[in-house]
Amino acid sequence: PKTSMCHAGDGLNLHFSFRDRNSQSNENTFSDHARQHGISAKGGSFMEGILQHLPSLLRFSLPTVNSFRRVGPGCWTGHKAEWAIEHKEVSLGVCLDLNTGLATHVEFKLSDVCANIYLSYPLEWKV
């Protein structure tokens, strides 16, 4: 939450990646260098679901008035239903591996420490 207009506030960024449990290497299946932006179909579908259901998710991930005060332009939280690669001002940020340049996971920034993690985290998986 944001308790003072002079401070950024406390966030709780959630990171999601996908692993193939059926392979012996347990490889990350979020990336696919053959697809646009290097994001697999599974990763893209997950991001699309988060953005589509964002208004409902915010009821759980930003549960207080002070939670919403932390969100806005220039706050590194995102304030629109959008995504980008390695961009700090969007609600869903795709993170890249610095060595390979491949997309490794997605970061959901519209959550804070007032959220009940037992409600908010599973809801993002259900989308």
Side-chain angles (χ1 to χ4, degrees), residues 34-124:
R35 293 181 53 90
Q36 185 179 16
H37 305 297
I39 301 168
S40 69
K42 183 187 290 186
S45 179
F46 176 77
M47 291 169 41
E48 181 182 1
I50 291 283
L51 293 174
Q52 182 179 358
H53 296 285
L54 194 58
S56 297
L57 292 172
L58 293 181
R59 290 179 175 92
F60 296 94
S61 65
L62 298 174
T64 70
V65 171
N66 283 342
S67 299
F68 277 93
R69 288 187 180 136
R70 187 180 62 83
V71 175
C75 294
W76 288 15
T77 58
H79 57 282
K80 299 178 185 174
E82 61 185 356
W83 71 274
I85 296 173
E86 290 293 335
H87 192 292
K88 299 298 180 200
E89 288 289 327
V90 295
S91 52
L92 273 181
V94 174
C95 302
L96 302 179
D97 183 303
L98 295 176
N99 295 322
T100 64
L102 293 175
T104 58
H105 63 282
V106 65
E107 175 183 23
F108 179 68
K109 299 176 188 172
L110 292 174
S111 185
D112 77 11
V113 296
C114 288
N116 181 334
I117 197 70
Y118 297 104
L119 290 174
S120 138
Y121 197 70
L123 283 171
E124 274 121 35

Side-chain angles (χ1 to χ4, degrees), residues 23 28 120:
S23 76
N28 185 343
S120 138

